[in-house]
Amino acid sequence: MTRLPPAQGKAPAEADFGFTKVPLAGKQRLVDEVFDRVARRYDLMNDLMSGGLHRIWKDVLVSMVKPSRNQGFAHLDVAGGTGDVALRVAAAGGPATRVTVLDINGEMLSVGRQRAVMAPAGSRLAFVEANAEALPFGAGAFDAYTVAFGIRNVPRLDAALGEAHRVLKRGGRFLCLEFSDVDVPGLNRLYEAYSFAAIPVIGRLVVGDSEPYRYLVESIKKFPQAPQFRQRIEAAGFRRASFTRLTGGIVAIHSGWKL
Ligand SMILES: C[S@@+](CC[C@H](N)C(=O)[O-])C[C@H]1O[C@@H](n2cnc3c(N)ncnc32)[C@H](O)[C@@H]1O
């Protein structure tokens, strides 16, 4: 077989794993290892790293979902991990609200199942182990779709956005809570210093391992800036795409409608 010189051959697709370039096909396994390592301490670490702010950000996200309190409401929370967002949606809705927590990582889901047993609205949750890039649901199955701090881990971002669009009903809403670009002078340098110096240290003390948290901080820096991400949401077919920055842009909530 004739080998093409590198300039003419098709380079294997690559993805960012934090600041490291890895083969696209290998990224998911690396991401899975990160969440295998942190699953048992994941919720505690979220509180410690964000000083509890992640609870407020998630409450704002769920206030935008507005699940119906008196009619059926089918909600999908992708990369839902330990069910933190799903439990909030279930509690905000009524008895006919059903929330599917989908995640690729069985360890994260198993923590979520244990939490759901203890939570008042936990019986409204169902857990599905699957990939955001290939959702195991029919078209138009859900009234709303959320993904919180998850989409930047998915190797094929545009495939995940396309699937989000496919599984939503017409009139359904896509909402994504994700770290963003800090836009307050002074806060950006403070935040960067905190992220790179303190977060891996907290990770080592609490989880016994700093590497997963180094990945987390690096992956935030590599994620597209909010206006670029809005364009990708529009390219997936969503209309009226917009974003709202919270806490000086540390995070943003992105929204799009399937119309
Ligand atoms: C930072 S956690 C967020 C968990 C939860 N949404 C929250 O806000 O607490 C990221 C989650 O994304 C999941 N994930 C990574 N790649 C995924 C994929 N391709 N499909 C579905 N979930 C994925 C991980 O397993 C992990 O549970």
Side-chain angles (χ1 to χ4, degrees), residues 28 31 35 42 58 79-81 103-105 108 130-132 148-149 153:
Q28 189 68 63
V31 169
F35 289 102
Y42 177 80
K58 287 170 179 165
D103 200 285
I104 204 163
N105 189 296
M108 294 289 280
N131 193 334
F149 305 118
N153 298 293

Side-chain angles (χ1 to χ4, degrees), residues 32 36 39-40 81 103-113 129-130:
D32 293 349
D36 282 346
R40 297 282 143 191
D103 200 285
I104 204 163
N105 189 296
E107 292 292 319
M108 294 289 280
L109 288 175
S110 120
V111 176
R113 280 192 192 93
E129 191 172 329

Side-chain angles (χ1 to χ4, degrees), residues 28 31-32 35 42-43 46 54 58 77-85 102-106 108-109 115 130-133 147-156 177 179 216:
Q28 189 68 63
V31 169
D32 293 349
F35 289 102
Y42 177 80
D43 292 309
N46 268 353
H54 76 107
K58 287 170 179 165
D77 183 47
V78 167
T82 61
D84 220 21
V85 168
L102 178 137
D103 200 285
I104 204 163
N105 189 296
M108 294 289 280
L109 288 175
R115 285 183 71 188
N131 193 334
E133 297 170 359
V147 56
F149 305 118
I151 211 151
R152 73 176 191 287
N153 298 293
V154 175
R156 295 165 191 85
L177 170 61
F179 290 105
L216 179 124

Side-chain angles (χ1 to χ4, degrees), residues 7 17 19-20 27 42 46 79 83 91 101 131 138 146 148 153 165-166 185 226 233 248 257:
F17 178 72
F19 289 164
T20 312
K27 172 168 171 168
Y42 177 80
N46 268 353
V101 186
N131 193 334
T146 47
N153 298 293
H165 190 268
R166 184 183 66 77
I233 292 169
W257 294 86

Side-chain angles (χ1 to χ4, degrees), residues 76 135 137-142 145 162-169 258:
L76 177 62
L135 297 174
F137 311 111
F142 294 97
Y145 172 121
E163 281 291 85
H165 190 268
R166 184 183 66 77
V167 301
L168 277 170
K169 294 177 184 167
K258 180 169 173 177

